[in-house]
């Protein structure tokens, strides 16, 4: 059965143009790669929701999709006075109303919380970047289908400044970390379900390295590196490990373990969403 997906790209056009200049992959393309791997018989429409001239799909149109996928974004989700942000929260609520399953990462996890009545704020610990070295499943996460088969402790690719500080009333905390408490959550709201991760299952080490290199200025300004050349050197080491994941010395130097290198483990949440939420709902 061919399944139809709406991929909601949360970045405004200026940011997308900067991706092209900075040699960073577009997040909707990364999700299409996951669909090609785990749901080869699919159709996908990409919707640039931060471009306010693009009208939001109406309720009946939303009901024509089997799933809605939210990418990351460089916007601030609690800036609800900005139309390019407020309309995204409005649309997620519309998808909940339509009863269509939603999945999201990073901004998408914050969207799951905000749209259903939770709270997001700036993380006082600052940016979480590169990867979280230790994420743990909660007792609920050990039982939930989103994280079925996930190791109890794992690593996840990250790049964010904000974090969920209050789950919505219908939210369930599935994974947690030291820097960011809410690393994975599931939300049942109105007629729908939204499963999400703060970390990025759609990224691999290569794409993570490209993003880190593009954020070199910010990482130096925020005190993680002394010089941009140091950032670029780190990114090249990450690319080298992607090409040769058996390099034990480089694994140890970067602190990367198998849960970040193994596609099946790293992408498991997205595959589980398809298996346990989307396909059963599609009939």
């Amino acid at each position: 059965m061919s399944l139809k997906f709406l991929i909601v790209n949360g970045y405004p056009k200026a940011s997308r143009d900067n991706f092209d200049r900075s040699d960073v992959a577009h997040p909707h393309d990364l999700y299409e790669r996951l669909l090609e791997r785990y749901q080869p018989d699919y159709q996908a429409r990409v919707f640039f929701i931060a471009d306010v001239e693009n009208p939001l799909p109406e309720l009946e149109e939303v009901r024509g999709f089997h799933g809605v996928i939210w990418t990351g974004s460089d916007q601030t989700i609690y800036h609800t006075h900005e139309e390019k942000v407020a309309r995204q929260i409005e649309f997620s609520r519309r998808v909940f109303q339509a009863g269509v399953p939603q999945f999201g990462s990073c901004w998408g996890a914050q969207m799951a919380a905000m749209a259903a009545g939770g709270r997001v704020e700036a993380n006082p610990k600052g940016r979480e970047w590169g990867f979280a070295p230790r994420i743990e499943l909660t007792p609920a996460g050990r039982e939930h289908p989103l994280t079925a088969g996930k190791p109890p402790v794992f690593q996840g690719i990250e790049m964010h400044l904000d974090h969920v500080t209050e789950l919505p009333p219908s939210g369930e905390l599935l994974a947690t970390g030291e820097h960011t408490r809410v690393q994975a959550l599931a939300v049942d709201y109105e007629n729908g379900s939204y499963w999400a991760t703060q970390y990025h299952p759609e990224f691999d080490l290569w794409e993570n390295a490209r993003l880190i290199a593009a954020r070199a200025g910010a990482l130096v300004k925020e005190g993680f590196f002394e010089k941009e050349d140091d950032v670029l050197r780190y990114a090249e080491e990450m690319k080298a490990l992607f090409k040769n994941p058996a390099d034990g010395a480089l694994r140890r130097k970067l602190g990367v373990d198998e849960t970040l290198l193994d596609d099946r483990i790293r992408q498991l949440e997205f595959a589980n969403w398809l298996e346990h939420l989307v396909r059963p709902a599609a009939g």
Side-chain angles (χ1 to χ4, degrees):
M1 177 183 180
S2 180
L3 299 182
K4 186 177 179 182
F5 296 89
L6 182 67
I7 303 176
V8 183
N9 184 315
Y11 287 89
K13 186 177 187 306
S15 300
R16 302 195 305 270
D17 290 345
N18 192 49
F19 274 24
D20 292 329
R21 289 191 295 269
S22 304
D23 188 36
V24 175
H26 289 277
H28 58 267
D29 290 332
L30 300 183
Y31 270 114
E32 287 226 43
R33 290 182 196 173
L34 290 188
L35 286 171
E36 288 167 3
R37 178 169 189 173
Y38 294 106
Q39 182 62 41
D41 189 6
Y42 79 94
Q43 303 172 56
R45 172 189 165 193
V46 178
F47 179 49
F48 298 113
I49 194 169
D51 299 351
V52 297
E53 67 273 14
N54 293 336
L56 297 177
E58 297 294 337
L59 189 62
E60 285 307 310
E61 185 179 359
V62 174
R63 288 181 175 139
F65 293 98
H66 296 101
V68 172
I69 301 165
W70 292 82
T71 73
S73 178
D74 58 357
Q75 301 304 290
T76 303
I77 202 165
Y78 44 86
H79 287 179
T80 53
H81 59 282
E82 298 180 4
E83 184 181 358
K84 62 185 176 181
V85 172
R87 73 197 308 260
Q88 300 198 40
I89 299 170
E90 175 191 349
F91 183 65
S92 182
R93 289 174 178 157
R94 185 173 298 175
V95 180
F96 271 122
Q97 184 183 0
V100 176
Q102 299 181 76
F103 182 90
S105 54
C106 197
W107 167 266
Q110 297 165 21
M111 183 63 65
M114 283 285 288
R119 187 177 180 86
V120 176
E121 299 176 359
N123 193 327
K125 299 175 184 176
R127 184 187 301 271
E128 187 169 32
W129 67 276
F131 63 94
R134 183 181 176 88
I135 300 172
E136 296 185 46
L137 294 180
T138 64
R142 296 188 194 105
E143 303 294 330
H144 197 278
L146 173 62
T147 42
K150 199 79 172 179
V153 178
F154 58 95
Q155 298 180 334
I157 292 173
E158 311 264 4
M159 185 68 77
H160 63 101
L161 290 162
D162 300 326
H163 66 149
V164 176
T165 55
E166 183 179 327
L167 290 171
S170 57
E172 193 171 17
L173 179 63
L174 304 180
T176 189
E178 181 180 349
H179 190 101
T180 300
R181 174 176 170 266
V182 179
Q183 286 284 5
L185 71 159
V187 178
D188 292 324
Y189 181 68
E190 292 197 353
N191 304 316
S193 296
Y194 192 145
W195 296 357
T197 62
Q198 182 61 58
Y199 49 94
H200 288 275
E202 76 277 19
F203 274 73
D204 56 27
L205 288 189
W206 183 271
E207 299 300 347
N208 192 29
R210 294 171 72 188
L211 182 60
I212 288 169
R215 298 283 191 270
L219 292 171
V220 170
K221 183 179 180 180
E222 293 165 17
F224 295 107
F225 294 89
E226 288 189 6
K227 300 175 295 183
E228 290 193 16
D229 283 349
D230 297 333
V231 184
L232 301 181
R233 190 175 303 111
Y234 177 88
E236 287 304 313
E237 289 178 334
M238 188 164 283
K239 286 182 177 180
L241 184 57
F242 173 82
K243 291 179 179 178
N244 183 17
D247 187 334
L250 196 50
R251 280 194 188 203
R252 290 188 292 273
K253 181 178 181 180
L254 297 177
V256 170
D257 70 21
E258 192 67 21
T259 64
L260 212 61
L261 292 167
D262 188 313
D263 287 350
R264 186 193 62 81
I265 298 174
R266 196 183 61 256
Q267 299 167 351
L268 187 60
E269 292 85 347
F270 186 78
N272 282 342
W273 176 70
L274 292 171
E275 180 67 22
H276 298 292
L277 200 55
V278 174
R279 294 188 189 113

